[in-house]
Amino acid sequence: SSDLGTLFSISSKGALNWKYELTDVNWSDPIISQEGIIYIGLNISKTLTAFNKEGNKMWQLPITHDPSSETLNIRNDGTIYLCQGGILYSINSDGSINWKYKPSEGSVINTPAMDNEGNLYLNTTPYWLVALDCNGKELWKNEIAGATLKAPIVGSNGRLFQQSFMQEYPQYDSWIEAFSVKGEKLWTYEMKGFITSAALADDNLLYVISNIYTYKRKGWKGKMDVKWEMHAIGREG
């Protein structure tokens, strides 16, 4: 079927190494371990699937919940992290489940970000930033300003940058909050509009793009206007 995909391996010189015709569509982009194992989530079969660097399928792990477009994350030791059905899964490189994390209240929203020590940072409902160690033990949690879809950005200077939002149709209010890796809130930057992307240029400067919707009504007709803004947010907010 034309709706199904193909997994390609292409050399650094642009030549095709191999391709694998999938009988499925993917719900995650592929990630690759340091050993060259390729992991990809497949939708119809509802599996996390592993391929070796020669393009041979190694194993498939069934996903009990309907797969979403959730990303995967991987540690240097090959441990895979995946959020599905409000639960965070830690998966070994052989496809076995290492541990699961579900908060005592609410559910996990996203696959976590990681720092160099292997600690994990994720969000749970309704408005929480949570830190876990590599064994899934909760280290701390702190409230964030609004709802979020994306895990925090981890800086190399011991800071976390969390984006969140609140909607009052058609407008959004958004926030960038900085936390220490110990859970202390350092500062908050508030803006109008919805944050579409945020990138850390260095330890002191965060670039954020947001869009602002305005609704104008004239008689029986209405018009939605969109204005885009870029914010360069410094270390002190």
Side-chain angles (χ1 to χ4, degrees):
S1 168
S2 60
D3 293 332
L4 304 181
T6 303
L7 182 63
F8 294 90
S9 170
I10 299 173
S11 75
S12 59
K13 296 182 179 180
L16 177 66
N17 292 325
W18 51 262
K19 63 180 181 179
Y20 190 97
E21 300 287 343
L22 300 170
T23 57
D24 218 323
V25 291
N26 61 300
W27 51 260
S28 76
D29 293 332
I31 58 171
I32 304 174
S33 72
Q34 290 186 340
E35 291 74 28
I37 301 174
I38 305 138
Y39 302 98
I40 185 171
L42 298 178
N43 206 319
I44 297 173
S45 60
K46 296 183 180 180
T47 60
L48 174 64
T49 305
F51 296 86
N52 64 21
K53 54 189 175 184
E54 286 77 35
N56 301 309
K57 186 187 292 185
M58 298 174 61
W59 50 259
Q60 288 189 303
L61 175 66
I63 302 297
T64 56
H65 300 275
D66 286 337
S68 65
S69 57
E70 188 59 70
T71 58
L72 305 171
N73 209 342
I74 189 168
R75 281 181 63 188
N76 291 338
D77 65 359
T79 304
I80 308 147
Y81 297 105
L82 167 65
C83 170
Q84 284 291 336
I87 300 171
L88 175 64
Y89 293 85
S90 169
I91 302 167
N92 298 312
S93 58
D94 62 1
S96 60
I97 295 176
N98 186 22
W99 50 260
K100 302 177 186 178
Y101 167 76
K102 190 178 189 308
S104 56
E105 296 181 1
S107 57
V108 179
I109 298 172
N110 41 39
T111 297
M114 288 179 286
D115 64 18
N116 292 332
E117 282 69 47
N119 297 316
L120 310 172
Y121 304 97
L122 50 83
N123 301 109
T124 63
T125 57
Y127 311 125
W128 293 103
L129 171 61
V130 179
L132 307 176
D133 68 13
C134 61
N135 297 311
K137 178 184 176 182
E138 193 172 296
L139 299 174
W140 54 262
K141 62 187 294 187
N142 202 338
E143 194 168 11
I144 61 175
T148 186
L149 302 174
K150 297 181 180 180
I153 298 171
V154 179
S156 60
N157 61 349
R159 286 184 172 87
L160 310 170
F161 301 94
Q162 178 70 63
Q163 56 182 288
S164 63
F165 66 91
M166 284 288 189
Q167 182 182 20
E168 294 183 8
Y169 185 83
Q171 277 289 5
Y172 287 86
D173 291 320
S174 292
W175 297 269
I176 294 287
E177 296 171 279
F179 295 81
S180 75
V181 292
K182 301 297 183 182
E184 176 192 6
K185 187 178 291 188
L186 303 175
W187 50 257
T188 301
Y189 179 88
E190 184 175 358
M191 68 190 80
K192 293 294 183 181
F194 180 77
I195 296 173
T196 59
S197 63
L200 186 64
D202 56 37
D203 290 335
N204 300 313
L205 196 58
L206 191 72
Y207 290 104
V208 176
I209 298 176
S210 65
N211 54 28
I212 301 173
Y213 294 92
T214 54
Y215 187 75
K216 298 179 181 179
R217 178 174 289 279
K218 187 176 182 180
W220 293 100
K221 295 182 179 181
K223 181 182 179 182
M224 185 80 75
D225 292 329
V226 181
K227 181 176 71 173
W228 296 85
E229 291 185 344
M230 173 175 276
H231 302 251
I233 303 170
R235 177 172 56 86
E236 301 302 326

